[in-house]
Amino acid sequence: MSAIRVIHPNPDVKRGVEYWEGVPSTVDGVLGGFGHVSRADSLGSRSFLLKILPRLSSIPPASYNCSPEEWLEERLERRGGKGKSRTRALDCGAGVGRVSEHSLLPIVDEVHLVEPVEKFLLEAKKLSTQWAPLTTPPSSSPFRARKAAHFHCSTLQDMDPSIPYSSCKGKGKQIEPTLSVSDEEASDEVEEGEGRAAGSKEEPLKFDVVWCQWCLQHLSDKDLIAFLHRSKAALKDEGDEKGLIVVKENVCKEEEDGSEHVWYDDEDHSITRSTKAYERVFKEAGMEIVRCDVQQGLPEELFTVKIFKSLRTIDRFSGVGYWISIPRMFNHAKTRVAVRSISVRKMLRRD
Ligand code: SAH
């Protein structure tokens, strides 16, 4: 390893948030004009999540040799009965709630969205009353759970995942959680106090998944390492039920000599890290990368596909990290993108 430590640029957190405040509160807005990739993205995310945490699946494994009904009964018993909200995810830099709606809530019972731009969060709250997992009553939900979304206005730098309500207090209007519609059958069977989302305002919370997507570009290495530590402390760790952190981010190419590269974006004052730069940060945070995939199915003319190896490093702490990367774009796509629109640049960063 070189004795000279390369100094990378840091994001400007305040100007980053100001940039997003000027972006429309839509899926197309938060995806820089690439709203149409959302479907492929969430498909990839859900299948990744079920691969890494099969215990969240509502479908019996092929190896199970009793009926699906028996399997469901068994699972319900393990979860403490009907109407229980057992599993929880944190949606980091949630924007207008796209990831919560399509990737997380279809799988977990409860999500907590953290987002510094208040208008995005208010839009997420408004839209959440129409999100399919929240318009499904507990009687029709896979584990008869009453699903819920909670909203917290904050940067990741300022929040502590285990105490989202108190750590995000005062950073925007208090937004009431959205609970899935109730129905007679469930509310009759649910014990007192169980119809609401588990944990809602009780603290501290434990998460099955801390999901970071397209927002870590706004955290310096120091802030990211500190956030990973706080997240790790907020992960569920009960017997075989261990929580995980997922990072799904754009990566740029390494330097020509193979060393890590970090690129500063003048438009939103963020940084794009190369794979090696992320790997170093995870290692410094004491994280182990246990699985690494590349998001497939994004527009071919814009993105190339890069295959990552799974890495195993010594884990000084007990948590583990999972990692998905977003393929960088082909060089030739830059020109095409540049003429399409300025906002398109957001997602398709330079190498
Ligand atoms: N993850 C969402 C939104 C991506 S856009 C999705 O995939 O749909 C990037 C988001 O990061 C914006 O909503 C922006 O407001 C948010 N963001 C900007 N700075 C942040 C910070 N310091 N901490 C957390 N989120 C931040």
Coordinates of all heavy atoms in Angstrom, one line a residue, residues 12-21 23 26-27 29-32 38 41 91-100 114-118 120-121 154-159 211-219 223 248-249 268 346-347 349, ligand 1:
D12 N -20.4 18.7 0.0 CA -20.9 19.9 0.8 C -22.3 19.6 1.2 O -23.2 19.7 0.3 CB -20.8 21.2 -0.1 CG -21.2 22.4 0.7 OD1 -22.0 22.3 1.6 OD2 -20.6 23.5 0.3
V13 N -22.5 19.2 2.4 CA -23.8 18.6 2.9 C -24.9 19.7 2.7 O -26.0 19.4 2.2 CB -23.7 18.2 4.3 CG1 -25.0 17.5 4.8 CG2 -22.6 17.2 4.5
K14 N -24.6 20.9 3.1 CA -25.7 21.9 3.1 C -26.1 22.3 1.7 O -27.3 22.3 1.4 CB -25.1 23.2 3.8 CG -26.2 24.2 4.1 CD -25.6 25.2 5.2 CE -26.5 26.4 5.3 NZ -26.2 27.4 4.2
R15 N -25.1 22.5 0.9 CA -25.4 22.8 -0.5 C -26.1 21.6 -1.3 O -26.9 21.8 -2.2 CB -24.2 23.3 -1.3 CG -23.8 24.7 -0.8 CD -22.4 25.1 -1.3 NE -22.6 25.6 -2.7 CZ -21.5 25.9 -3.5 NH1 -20.3 25.7 -3.1 NH2 -21.7 26.4 -4.7
G16 N -25.7 20.4 -0.8 CA -26.4 19.2 -1.4 C -27.9 19.2 -1.1 O -28.7 19.0 -2.0
V17 N -28.2 19.5 0.1 CA -29.7 19.6 0.5 C -30.3 20.7 -0.3 O -31.4 20.5 -0.8 CB -29.8 19.7 2.0 CG1 -31.3 19.9 2.4 CG2 -29.3 18.5 2.7
E18 N -29.6 21.8 -0.4 CA -30.2 23.0 -1.2 C -30.5 22.6 -2.6 O -31.5 22.9 -3.2 CB -29.3 24.2 -1.1 CG -29.4 24.9 0.2 CD -28.2 25.9 0.4 OE1 -27.4 26.1 -0.5 OE2 -28.1 26.4 1.6
Y19 N -29.6 21.8 -3.2 CA -29.8 21.3 -4.5 C -31.1 20.5 -4.6 O -31.9 20.8 -5.5 CB -28.6 20.5 -5.0 CG -28.9 19.7 -6.3 CD1 -28.7 20.3 -7.5 CD2 -29.4 18.4 -6.2 CE1 -29.0 19.6 -8.7 CE2 -29.7 17.7 -7.4 CZ -29.5 18.3 -8.6 OH -29.9 17.7 -9.7
W20 N -31.3 19.6 -3.7 CA -32.4 18.7 -3.8 C -33.7 19.5 -3.5 O -34.8 19.1 -4.0 CB -32.3 17.5 -2.8 CG -31.3 16.5 -3.4 CD1 -30.1 16.3 -2.9 CD2 -31.5 15.7 -4.5 NE1 -29.4 15.4 -3.7 CE2 -30.3 14.9 -4.6 CE3 -32.6 15.4 -5.3 CZ2 -30.1 14.0 -5.6 CZ3 -32.4 14.4 -6.4 CH2 -31.2 13.7 -6.5
E21 N -33.6 20.6 -2.7 CA -34.8 21.4 -2.5 C -35.3 22.0 -3.8 O -36.5 22.4 -3.9 CB -34.5 22.5 -1.4 CG -34.6 21.9 0.0 CD -34.0 22.7 1.1 OE1 -33.3 23.7 0.8 OE2 -34.2 22.4 2.2
V23 N -35.4 20.5 -6.7 CA -35.8 19.4 -7.6 C -37.3 19.1 -7.4 O -37.8 19.0 -6.2 CB -34.9 18.1 -7.3 CG1 -35.4 16.9 -8.0 CG2 -33.5 18.4 -7.8
T26 N -41.0 14.4 -7.3 CA -41.6 13.3 -8.1 C -40.5 12.2 -8.2 O -39.3 12.4 -8.0 CB -41.9 13.7 -9.6 OG1 -40.7 14.2 -10.2 CG2 -42.9 14.8 -9.6
V27 N -40.9 11.0 -8.7 CA -39.9 9.9 -8.9 C -38.9 10.3 -10.0 O -37.7 10.1 -9.8 CB -40.6 8.6 -9.2 CG1 -39.7 7.5 -9.7 CG2 -41.4 8.0 -8.0
G29 N -38.0 13.3 -10.6 CA -37.2 14.3 -10.0 C -36.0 13.7 -9.2 O -34.8 13.9 -9.5
V30 N -36.4 12.7 -8.3 CA -35.3 12.1 -7.5 C -34.4 11.2 -8.3 O -33.3 10.9 -7.9 CB -35.8 11.4 -6.2 CG1 -36.5 12.4 -5.3 CG2 -36.8 10.3 -6.6
L31 N -34.9 10.7 -9.4 CA -34.0 9.9 -10.3 C -33.4 10.6 -11.4 O -33.0 10.1 -12.4 CB -34.8 8.6 -10.7 CG -35.2 7.6 -9.7 CD1 -35.8 6.4 -10.2 CD2 -34.1 7.3 -8.7
G32 N -33.4 12.0 -11.3 CA -32.7 12.8 -12.3 C -33.2 12.5 -13.7 O -32.4 12.5 -14.7
S38 N -37.0 2.8 -12.4 CA -37.5 2.5 -11.0 C -38.0 1.0 -10.9 O -37.7 0.4 -9.9 CB -38.6 3.5 -10.6 OG -38.9 3.3 -9.3
D41 N -35.1 -1.3 -11.0 CA -34.4 -1.1 -9.8 C -35.1 -1.9 -8.6 O -34.4 -2.6 -7.8 CB -34.3 0.4 -9.5 CG -33.9 0.6 -8.0 OD1 -32.7 0.3 -7.7 OD2 -34.7 1.2 -7.3
D91 N -35.2 3.4 5.5 CA -35.0 3.9 4.2 C -34.2 5.2 4.2 O -34.8 6.3 4.6 CB -36.4 4.1 3.5 CG -36.3 4.5 2.0 OD1 -35.2 4.7 1.6 OD2 -37.3 4.6 1.4
C92 N -32.9 5.1 3.9 CA -32.0 6.3 4.1 C -32.1 7.2 2.9 O -31.9 6.7 1.7 CB -30.6 5.8 4.3 SG -30.5 4.7 5.7
G93 N -32.2 8.5 3.1 CA -32.3 9.4 1.9 C -33.5 9.0 1.1 O -33.3 8.8 -0.1
A94 N -34.6 9.0 1.7 CA -35.8 8.3 1.1 C -36.4 9.0 -0.1 O -37.3 8.4 -0.8 CB -36.8 8.0 2.2
G95 N -36.1 10.3 -0.3 CA -36.8 11.0 -1.4 C -38.3 11.1 -1.2 O -38.8 11.4 -0.1
V96 N -39.0 10.7 -2.3 CA -40.5 10.7 -2.2 C -41.0 9.3 -1.8 O -42.2 9.0 -2.0 CB -41.1 11.2 -3.5 CG1 -40.8 12.7 -3.7 CG2 -40.7 10.4 -4.7
G97 N -40.2 8.5 -1.3 CA -40.6 7.2 -0.8 C -40.7 6.0 -1.8 O -41.2 5.0 -1.5
R98 N -40.0 6.2 -2.9 CA -40.0 5.2 -4.0 C -39.5 3.9 -3.5 O -40.1 2.8 -3.7 CB -39.1 5.8 -5.1 CG -39.1 5.0 -6.4 CD -38.0 5.6 -7.3 NE -36.7 5.4 -6.7 CZ -36.0 4.3 -6.9 NH1 -36.4 3.3 -7.7 NH2 -34.8 4.1 -6.4
V99 N -38.4 3.9 -2.8 CA -37.8 2.6 -2.3 C -38.7 1.9 -1.2 O -38.9 0.7 -1.3 CB -36.4 2.9 -1.8 CG1 -35.8 1.6 -1.1 CG2 -35.4 3.4 -2.9
S100 N -39.2 2.8 -0.4 CA -40.1 2.2 0.7 C -41.3 1.5 0.0 O -41.7 0.4 0.4 CB -40.6 3.3 1.6 OG -39.6 3.6 2.6
V114 N -36.1 8.3 6.2 CA -35.3 9.5 6.7 C -34.9 10.3 5.5 O -34.3 9.8 4.5 CB -34.0 9.1 7.4 CG1 -33.3 10.3 8.0 CG2 -34.2 8.0 8.4
E115 N -35.3 11.6 5.5 CA -35.0 12.4 4.3 C -34.9 13.9 4.8 O -35.8 14.4 5.5 CB -36.3 12.2 3.4 CG -36.4 13.2 2.3 CD -35.2 13.3 1.4 OE1 -34.6 12.3 0.9 OE2 -34.7 14.5 1.1
P116 N -33.9 14.6 4.3 CA -33.7 16.0 4.8 C -34.6 17.0 4.1 O -34.8 18.1 4.7 CB -32.2 16.3 4.5 CG -31.9 15.4 3.4 CD -32.7 14.1 3.5
V117 N -35.1 16.7 2.9 CA -35.9 17.7 2.2 C -37.3 17.5 2.6 O -38.0 16.5 2.2 CB -35.6 17.5 0.7 CG1 -36.6 18.5 -0.1 CG2 -34.2 17.8 0.3
E118 N -37.9 18.5 3.3 CA -39.2 18.3 3.9 C -40.3 18.1 2.8 O -41.2 17.3 3.0 CB -39.5 19.5 4.7 CG -40.7 19.3 5.6 CD -41.0 20.4 6.6 OE1 -40.5 21.6 6.3 OE2 -41.7 20.2 7.5
F120 N -40.1 16.6 0.0 CA -40.1 15.2 -0.5 C -40.8 14.3 0.5 O -41.6 13.5 0.2 CB -38.6 14.7 -0.6 CG -37.9 15.2 -1.8 CD1 -36.5 14.9 -2.0 CD2 -38.5 16.0 -2.8 CE1 -35.8 15.4 -3.1 CE2 -37.8 16.5 -3.9 CZ -36.4 16.2 -4.0
L121 N -40.5 14.6 1.8 CA -41.1 13.7 2.9 C -42.6 13.9 2.9 O -43.3 13.0 3.1 CB -40.4 14.1 4.2 CG -40.4 13.0 5.3 CD1 -39.7 11.7 4.8 CD2 -39.7 13.5 6.5
S154 N -34.5 14.6 8.3 CA -33.2 14.8 8.8 C -32.2 14.3 7.8 O -32.5 13.5 6.9 CB -32.9 13.9 10.1 OG -31.6 14.1 10.5
T155 N -30.9 14.8 7.9 CA -29.8 14.2 7.1 C -29.4 12.9 7.9 O -29.8 12.8 9.0 CB -28.6 15.2 7.1 OG1 -28.2 15.4 8.4 CG2 -28.9 16.5 6.4
L156 N -28.7 12.1 7.2 CA -28.2 10.9 7.9 C -27.1 11.3 8.9 O -26.9 10.6 9.9 CB -27.5 9.9 6.9 CG -28.5 9.3 5.9 CD1 -27.8 8.3 5.0 CD2 -29.7 8.6 6.6
Q157 N -26.4 12.4 8.6 CA -25.4 12.9 9.6 C -26.0 13.2 10.9 O -25.3 13.0 12.0 CB -24.7 14.2 9.0 CG -23.7 14.0 7.9 CD -24.4 14.0 6.5 OE1 -25.6 13.9 6.4 NE2 -23.5 14.1 5.5
D158 N -27.2 13.7 10.9 CA -27.8 14.1 12.2 C -28.7 13.1 12.9 O -29.2 13.4 13.9 CB -28.7 15.4 11.9 CG -27.8 16.6 11.7 OD1 -26.6 16.5 12.0 OD2 -28.3 17.6 11.1
M159 N -28.9 11.9 12.3 CA -29.9 11.1 12.9 C -29.3 9.8 13.5 O -28.2 9.3 13.0 CB -31.0 10.7 12.0 CG -30.7 9.8 10.8 SD -31.2 8.0 11.1 CE -32.8 8.1 11.7
W211 N -31.4 0.4 4.7 CA -31.2 0.4 3.3 C -30.7 1.8 2.8 O -31.4 2.8 3.0 CB -32.6 0.1 2.6 CG -32.5 -0.1 1.1 CD1 -32.5 0.8 0.2 CD2 -32.4 -1.4 0.4 NE1 -32.4 0.2 -1.1 CE2 -32.3 -1.1 -0.9 CE3 -32.3 -2.7 0.9 CZ2 -32.2 -2.1 -1.9 CZ3 -32.2 -3.7 -0.1 CH2 -32.2 -3.4 -1.5
C212 N -29.5 1.8 2.3 CA -29.0 3.1 1.8 C -28.9 3.1 0.3 O -28.1 2.3 -0.3 CB -27.6 3.3 2.3 SG -27.4 3.1 4.1
Q213 N -29.7 3.9 -0.3 CA -29.7 3.9 -1.8 C -29.6 5.3 -2.4 O -30.4 6.2 -2.1 CB -30.9 3.2 -2.4 CG -31.0 3.2 -3.9 CD -31.9 2.2 -4.5 OE1 -32.6 1.5 -3.7 NE2 -32.0 2.1 -5.8
W214 N -28.6 5.6 -3.2 CA -28.4 6.8 -3.9 C -28.5 8.0 -3.0 O -29.1 9.0 -3.2 CB -29.5 7.0 -5.0 CG -29.1 6.1 -6.2 CD1 -27.9 5.9 -6.7 CD2 -30.0 5.4 -7.1 NE1 -28.0 5.1 -7.8 CE2 -29.3 4.8 -8.1 CE3 -31.4 5.3 -7.1 CZ2 -29.8 4.0 -9.1 CZ3 -32.0 4.5 -8.1 CH2 -31.2 3.9 -9.1
C215 N -27.8 7.9 -1.8 CA -27.7 9.1 -0.9 C -26.4 9.2 -0.2 O -26.0 10.2 0.3 CB -28.9 9.0 0.1 SG -28.8 7.6 1.2
L216 N -25.6 8.1 -0.2 CA -24.3 8.1 0.5 C -23.3 9.0 -0.2 O -22.2 9.3 0.4 CB -23.8 6.7 0.7 CG -24.7 5.7 1.5 CD1 -24.0 4.4 1.7 CD2 -25.0 6.4 2.8
Q217 N -23.6 9.5 -1.4 CA -22.8 10.4 -2.1 C -22.7 11.8 -1.3 O -21.9 12.6 -1.6 CB -23.2 10.6 -3.5 CG -24.5 11.4 -3.8 CD -25.7 10.4 -3.8 OE1 -25.7 9.3 -3.3 NE2 -26.8 10.9 -4.3
H218 N -23.7 11.9 -0.4 CA -23.7 13.2 0.4 C -23.1 13.1 1.7 O -23.2 14.0 2.6 CB -25.2 13.6 0.6 CG -25.8 14.1 -0.7 ND1 -25.5 15.2 -1.4 CD2 -26.8 13.5 -1.5 CE1 -26.2 15.3 -2.5 NE2 -27.0 14.3 -2.6
L219 N -22.4 11.9 2.0 CA -21.7 11.7 3.2 C -20.2 11.6 3.0 O -19.7 10.8 2.1 CB -22.2 10.5 3.9 CG -23.4 10.6 4.8 CD1 -24.7 10.8 4.0 CD2 -23.6 9.4 5.7
D223 N -18.3 10.9 8.0 CA -19.7 10.9 8.4 C -20.3 9.5 8.1 O -21.2 9.0 8.8 CB -20.5 11.9 7.6 CG -20.2 13.3 8.1 OD1 -19.6 13.5 9.2 OD2 -20.6 14.3 7.4
K248 N -26.7 0.5 -1.8 CA -26.9 0.4 -3.3 C -26.6 1.8 -3.9 O -27.4 2.7 -3.8 CB -28.4 0.0 -3.6 CG -28.7 -0.2 -5.0 CD -30.0 -0.9 -5.2 CE -30.2 -1.3 -6.7 NZ -31.5 -2.0 -6.9
E249 N -25.4 1.9 -4.5 CA -25.0 3.2 -4.9 C -24.3 3.2 -6.2 O -23.8 2.2 -6.7 CB -23.9 3.8 -3.9 CG -24.5 4.1 -2.5 CD -25.4 5.3 -2.5 OE1 -25.4 6.1 -3.4 OE2 -26.2 5.4 -1.5
D268 N -24.6 18.9 -7.7 CA -25.3 18.7 -6.4 C -24.3 18.6 -5.2 O -24.7 18.3 -4.1 CB -26.2 17.4 -6.5 CG -25.3 16.2 -6.6 OD1 -24.1 16.3 -6.7 OD2 -25.9 15.1 -6.6
K346 N -27.7 13.8 -13.2 CA -27.7 13.3 -11.8 C -27.5 11.9 -11.6 O -26.7 11.5 -10.8 CB -29.1 13.6 -11.2 CG -29.3 14.9 -10.6 CD -28.8 15.3 -9.3 CE -28.2 14.2 -8.4 NZ -26.9 13.9 -8.5
M347 N -28.2 11.0 -12.4 CA -28.0 9.6 -12.3 C -26.8 9.1 -13.0 O -26.2 8.1 -12.6 CB -29.2 8.9 -12.8 CG -30.4 9.0 -12.0 SD -30.5 7.7 -10.8 CE -30.6 6.3 -11.9
R349 N -23.5 9.5 -13.8 CA -22.3 10.3 -13.5 C -21.1 9.9 -14.3 O -21.0 8.8 -14.8 CB -21.9 10.1 -12.0 CG -23.1 10.5 -11.1 CD -22.7 10.2 -9.7 NE -23.8 10.5 -8.8 CZ -24.2 11.8 -8.6 NH1 -23.6 12.8 -9.1 NH2 -25.2 12.0 -7.8
Ligands
SAH1 N1 -33.2 7.0 -2.3 C1 -34.2 7.7 -3.0 C2 -33.9 9.1 -3.4 C3 -32.6 9.3 -4.2 S1 -32.3 11.0 -4.6 C4 -34.6 6.9 -4.3 O1 -33.7 6.0 -4.7 O2 -35.6 7.1 -4.9 C5 -31.1 11.4 -3.3 C6 -31.8 11.7 -2.0 O3 -30.8 11.9 -1.0 C7 -32.7 13.0 -2.0 O4 -33.9 12.8 -1.6 C8 -31.9 13.9 -1.1 O5 -32.7 14.9 -0.5 C9 -31.3 13.0 -0.1 N2 -30.1 13.6 0.6 C10 -29.4 14.6 0.3 N3 -28.5 14.9 1.2 C11 -28.7 13.9 2.2 C12 -28.0 13.7 3.5 N4 -27.0 14.4 3.9 N5 -28.6 12.7 4.2 C13 -29.6 11.9 3.8 N6 -30.2 12.1 2.6 C14 -29.7 13.1 1.8

